[in-house]
Amino acid sequence: MPKVGMEPIRRAALVKATITEIGRTGSLDVTVSKIAKRAGMSSALAHHYFGSKEQIFLAAMRHILTLYGAEVRGALAAADGPEERLRAVVRASFGSGSFRREVAGAWLNFYVLAQTQAEARRLLSVYQRRLRSNLLHGLKPLIGERAEVVAQGVGAMIDGLYIREVLKGGTPDGAAAASLVWGHLRREMGLKA
Amino acid sequence: MPKVGMEPIRRAALVKATITEIGRTGSLDVTVSKIAKRAGMSSALAHHYFGSKEQIFLAAMRHILTLYGAEVRGALAAADGPEERLRAVVRASFGSGSFRREVAGAWLNFYVLAQTQAEARRLLSVYQRRLRSNLLHGLKPLIGERAEVVAQGVGAMIDGLYIREVLKGGTPDGAAAASLVWGHLRREMGLKA
DNA sequence: GTTTATGTTGATTGATGAGTCAATAAACTT
DNA sequence: AAGTTTATTGACTCATCAATCAACATAAAC
């Protein structure tokens, strides 16, 4: 059975399993064995590739950030003008890549992780800066100096919607969340359309 | 040393120590021994009074909710008219009782707890319903049917600000957070003053 | 002043889980 | 074909903790 070149496959499987497992149980209290089992291997192998549980968690966080980044880039590519760009950012935040149940559940738990692990905190701040900068770029040309405050508020609103999504069970409704935020943004801008 | 009538004192000390400990370490991964030590007793005594770690956590959650409730009631008492009431609700959310570092830190972790414990989930939904209803009561007379959406958005924004507060270290600035939310609310309403 | 209820803890148990290691096997290298 | 690197796991170690218990101490009740 043993083939060569397994490393990237195993790593990817573990990352995916980690997100699922954290999302499912709703806590960081997942064992390496559980994760490994879900990924179809022994816990020893998980340690072999990642060295520690901590590293597994961080890889999972990085993966979610990568997903989110890709989603934003994709949405922005087809956007023209500040308003369109804003809309794209909001839509991407609640796109199917980031706003799925397990992913959002894992995300909340990574906030907790960030309180104790420096690298996790760093990753989280990367996300926050990126979101803030994306919002600002769209808002500045439209509302000038007030952009700062609005971006802060809307950023917090997005984070809050993630939390609420995780809490209430069932399938997440990204479209509803996006339109809620978009409505607020529209009113914050000139009330157009 | 042993006197009679210790129970309420011990319970209160444990609840307080729990909030501090969770806030400090930034996770639910606190041992009963640590909590008990901070509260000045043995872990056996903590179990004697609460029966289990789970019950200790829930008592701490209830206490935070009680604090928050008191803060809101206090602020509302001195408020006249819908706008004043709204302002009171926002101010209370970021008041010194609820928005202190350890309390907010514990709060975030209780969100995590709510994903696995039914009673914690129930408590959290009590908070959410209360916040929503408070906002609605203030908003309905001012903006009618749009109140629903605005309350949802502002509620999420408040939760999001808690998270961000916990993440960024240092002393929390409740006044800044409150004025941010209040600014959004003012714009959502008629833009007055 | 003996019984009873309350307060208190050190020591112990039992479970759980992260990380290590030695051993096995298949694939590449020379 | 001998040697090396990569893949893989079961069994083990070691630490941590929640929960329990037996024992003791003080206060209240009778």
Side-chain angles (χ1 to χ4, degrees), chain B residues 82-99:
Chain B
E83 188 172 328
E84 281 287 316
R85 289 176 65 85
L86 271 181
R87 195 171 204 149
V89 170
V90 173
R91 203 183 316 120
S93 285
F94 300 108
S96 58
S98 323
F99 205 54

Side-chain angles (χ1 to χ4, degrees), chain A residues 83 86 139 142-143 182 185-191:
Chain A
E83 189 172 328
L86 271 180
L139 283 167
L142 295 168
I143 58 175
W182 182 241
L185 267 175
R186 254 182 10 209
R187 268 167 266 141
E188 289 283 5
M189 306 176 316
L191 267 280

Side-chain angles (χ1 to χ4, degrees), chain A:
Chain A
M1 221 193 265
K3 294 177 192 164
V4 128
M6 281 286 102
E7 177 153 358
I9 296 167
R10 294 304 199 185
R11 289 183 101 99
L14 282 168
V15 161
K16 190 180 165 193
T18 302
I19 293 169
T20 305
E21 198 64 23
I22 293 179
R24 282 263 173 102
T25 73
S27 107
L28 294 173
D29 247 322
V30 294
T31 70
V32 174
S33 298
K34 276 265 180 71
I35 294 173
K37 185 172 218 173
R38 185 180 290 277
M41 71 196 82
S42 73
S43 73
L45 195 54
H47 275 104
H48 173 63
Y49 283 125
F50 280 101
S52 76
K53 190 174 165 175
E54 181 174 330
Q55 289 305 315
I56 301 181
F57 281 170
L58 291 175
M61 253 187 102
R62 279 187 214 104
H63 184 247
I64 288 187
L65 274 182
T66 304
L67 278 188
Y68 170 71
E71 194 130 18
V72 172
R73 254 192 311 283
L76 278 179
D80 213 23
E83 189 172 328
E84 281 287 316
R85 288 176 65 85
L86 271 180
R87 196 171 203 149
V89 170
V90 172
R91 204 184 315 120
S93 285
F94 300 107
S96 58
S98 324
F99 206 53
R100 291 205 322 276
R101 169 142 288 279
E102 335 91 65
V103 176
W107 194 234
L108 170 58
N109 283 280
F110 288 148
Y111 270 94
V112 170
L113 190 66
Q115 289 192 262
T116 42
Q117 290 199 7
E119 176 64 5
R121 184 155 51 249
R122 199 188 62 79
L123 286 174
L124 214 46
S125 82
V126 165
Y127 153 76
Q128 286 188 343
R129 267 201 304 279
R130 193 184 291 171
L131 175 58
R132 176 192 137 94
S133 139
N134 282 335
L135 289 172
L136 274 181
H137 271 62
L139 283 167
K140 273 258 181 67
L142 295 168
I143 58 175
E145 84 260 357
R146 236 186 48 230
E148 195 70 41
V149 189
V150 173
Q152 238 182 300
V154 169
M157 191 185 292
I158 290 175
D159 289 359
L161 285 171
Y162 267 84
I163 288 196
R164 295 184 164 210
E165 191 47 54
V166 173
L167 256 292
K168 88 170 202 287
T171 320
D173 187 352
S179 97
L180 185 75
V181 174
W182 182 241
H184 277 262
L185 267 175
R186 254 182 10 209
R187 268 167 266 141
E188 289 283 5
M189 306 176 316
L191 267 280
K192 209 223 78 189

